[in-house]
Amino acid sequence: MCIVGDNAKIVGNIIATPLSMQGYNQTLAFNNLTANVDYRGDYGKVYKNNAKDCGVFVSYGSKTCIFNNMVLGGGIGTGGTSRNIIIFNNTINDGTQISLANSGNIVANNTISNSSMGVAIMWGGDNRISGNFVTNCKIGLYKTEPHGGNIFSANYVANNSCGVKIASRSESAETTLYHNNFINNVVQVNTDPTETIEGSDGTHERTRSLIHSGLFDNGTEGNFWSDYTGEDSNKDNIGDTPYFIDENRRDNHPLMYPFDIYSDKIQLPDWANIEPTSIIVPDIKYVDIHIDSPQNMTYANSISLNFTVNQKTSWMGYSLDGQDNVTITETTLNLNELADGSHTLTVYAIDTDGNTGASETIRFTIAKESETEQPDQLNLILAGTLICIAIATGLGLLIYHKKRK
């Protein structure tokens, strides 16, 4: 199916055949997709779609925004002659990756879990990758081909087979990585001298040599590495010694504690519009899930999960930190014994007609007990000290007056 024309709006449909959209200022929103979408145009908006075993690809044009979509078993990509694309606040689970094959893009605040890769720059420069949560993937962050100006900053990359791979077949302009949290990845940074890839026919494999690159700090601050064992003698929260990757690469300013990725507010260009358009959604069965609790904030201890679904369901579940879905039968339950630090939570549901839906991914933090309890302990100590001083002063005055008499 091909939609050609400016200002077209495709809203509230069940789309099961491949869709091509060509034109200016087109909108694709609130659809259930089971076939790929190829967008070709300028100033497009693709949002609030549920995609299952398929994805959204931008192959032509510029200044299109893809945001707030839920993708199960697929991916989001750019390529061809497209450029300057915003990919913002999408959720991908059990899929491929967010893949870029062009320049000038911003990929921010997305959650990718249990997929082939998290965010992959296959070609192109001057891309900004920031504030994304990538967990339980084969490769978290990936960049290949010799193009410069790419920046990976303030991403949460945890429990992947490989945290980051920056390599190409020839000498590469540098990619900069800083303020990322690399936590408990089996291999934090890929250093393999070769890689095996599929041939053009998809079957025959071939091996090629790799040249690794990447600057792992911005000159003053680097990244947090869960396996860094250095010390911080001057207490500036930066390690005294570098984090060594290989003979040519190191993080000269490793962070002693995870970086607060919420503090890195990426500035979107003036043309970027990531607010839903005022449109009327047709009366179709669209699985909408709204999480009331938790919210994007910090909690001191265990939390309650409370959510609503607008349809009767045949299955419900949630994924915590990108892990496998946990089946649930109620819309209210307690989540206990959560580890200190940042967490992500997404709720999924299937209605009685087989339509799938996913909530917005919530990012919340469990504060360390020592941090939350410390003020109370200090207050108790201070109060006790003041009481002791008051008693001692009172006794001293009493003894003094008795001696005077």
Side-chain angles (χ1 to χ4, degrees):
M1 179 170 57
C2 182
I3 305 297
V4 180
D6 297 340
N7 304 310
K9 292 180 172 61
I10 302 177
V11 181
N13 301 280
I14 297 174
I15 300 175
T17 58
L19 171 65
S20 175
M21 300 178 64
Q22 302 177 25
Y24 173 87
N25 192 36
Q26 291 189 331
T27 297
L28 179 72
F30 295 98
N31 300 284
N32 285 329
L33 310 173
T34 56
N36 291 326
V37 174
D38 180 18
Y39 187 88
R40 304 180 182 186
D42 300 323
Y43 291 96
K45 297 176 72 173
V46 180
Y47 65 91
K48 279 287 185 178
N49 299 284
N50 283 339
K52 182 174 175 56
D53 298 327
C54 62
V56 177
F57 187 78
V58 182
S59 61
Y60 175 83
S62 66
K63 300 180 179 179
T64 288
C65 297
I66 304 173
F67 59 99
N68 295 352
N69 298 283
M70 306 296 174
V71 181
L72 302 178
I76 298 173
T78 68
T81 59
S82 66
R83 61 179 293 113
N84 298 332
I85 308 300
I86 304 294
I87 302 176
F88 186 86
N89 203 42
N90 302 280
T91 297
I92 298 176
N93 190 23
D94 288 323
T96 54
Q97 67 261 334
I98 294 177
S99 177
L100 307 179
N102 54 358
S103 300
N105 306 292
I106 295 176
V107 179
N109 290 30
N110 301 281
T111 299
I112 309 102
S113 57
N114 302 303
S115 298
S116 298
M117 298 185 193
V119 182
I121 302 176
M122 313 303 292
W123 184 92
D126 300 319
N127 296 294
R128 180 68 182 270
I129 316 301
S130 181
N132 302 285
F133 280 72
V134 183
T135 57
N136 296 295
C137 297
K138 293 180 180 178
I139 300 176
L141 306 177
Y142 178 79
K143 185 260 179 184
T144 187
E145 300 307 326
H147 301 90
N150 296 297
I151 296 176
F152 292 90
S153 67
N155 298 287
Y156 179 88
V157 184
N159 302 316
N160 303 285
S161 298
C162 173
V164 58
K165 181 177 181 179
I166 309 293
S168 62
R169 294 169 294 174
S170 59
E171 291 291 340
S172 176
E174 292 296 358
T175 292
T176 304
L177 303 94
Y178 61 91
H179 290 169
N180 301 287
N181 296 328
F182 294 104
I183 300 175
N184 297 334
N185 300 289
V186 177
V187 175
Q188 298 280 48
V189 184
N190 179 277
T191 59
D192 294 340
T194 61
E195 68 178 359
T196 300
I197 60 175
E198 289 184 350
S200 58
D201 59 359
T203 57
H204 297 92
E205 294 183 341
R206 60 189 178 91
T207 300
R208 64 180 185 180
S209 299
L210 293 176
I211 298 176
H212 294 277
S213 60
L215 297 175
F216 285 83
D217 59 72
N218 62 7
T220 56
E221 294 185 347
N223 307 276
F224 173 77
W225 308 90
S226 59
D227 56 344
Y228 177 67
T229 58
E231 298 182 353
D232 178 20
S233 59
N234 61 355
K235 306 302 180 184
D236 64 352
N237 294 329
I238 296 176
D240 297 334
T241 55
Y243 177 85
F244 289 94
I245 298 169
D246 54 34
E247 61 181 6
N248 297 315
R249 297 182 297 171
R250 67 182 66 183
D251 183 341
N252 293 298
H253 308 281
L255 305 180
M256 296 300 296
Y257 302 100
F259 182 77
D260 179 10
I261 66 175
Y262 301 111
S263 67
D264 188 66
K265 304 296 183 182
I266 190 168
Q267 183 66 43
L268 297 179
D270 293 338
W271 56 262
N273 184 357
I274 57 171
E275 295 297 327
T277 307
S278 296
I279 54 179
I280 298 175
V281 181
D283 185 18
I284 66 166
K285 277 201 170 184
Y286 181 88
V287 182
D288 185 64
I289 304 170
H290 177 74
I291 296 180
D292 298 310
S293 173
Q295 294 297 305
N296 298 318
M297 57 184 294
T298 299
Y299 295 87
N301 44 38
S302 300
I303 62 171
S304 295
L305 171 60
N306 297 292
F307 65 94
T308 57
V309 186
N310 69 332
Q311 304 289 349
K312 290 183 178 180
T313 62
S314 61
W315 177 87
M316 297 186 299
Y318 71 87
S319 174
L320 182 67
D321 299 331
Q323 299 178 19
D324 292 340
N325 290 334
V326 177
T327 298
I328 54 179
T329 57
E330 303 292 336
T331 58
T332 299
L333 67 152
N334 292 323
L335 299 177
N336 300 316
E337 299 181 0
L338 297 179
D340 294 334
S342 300
H343 296 277
T344 62
L345 178 69
T346 308
V347 176
Y348 302 95
I350 301 175
D351 69 11
T352 52
D353 289 332
N355 300 311
T356 62
S359 71
E360 176 186 1
T361 296
I362 301 297
R363 300 178 175 94
F364 63 94
T365 300
I366 298 296
K368 293 182 180 298
E369 292 183 2
S370 58
E371 294 176 356
T372 58
E373 293 177 359
Q374 186 176 8
D376 293 336
Q377 293 173 352
L378 289 176
N379 289 336
L380 289 173
I381 294 172
L382 180 60
T385 302
L386 291 175
I387 292 172
C388 291
I389 292 173
I391 293 173
T393 302
L395 290 174
L397 290 174
L398 180 62
I399 294 172
Y400 171 77
H401 284 299
K402 284 186 176 181
K403 288 184 176 179
R404 294 272 297 179
K405 292 179 180 180

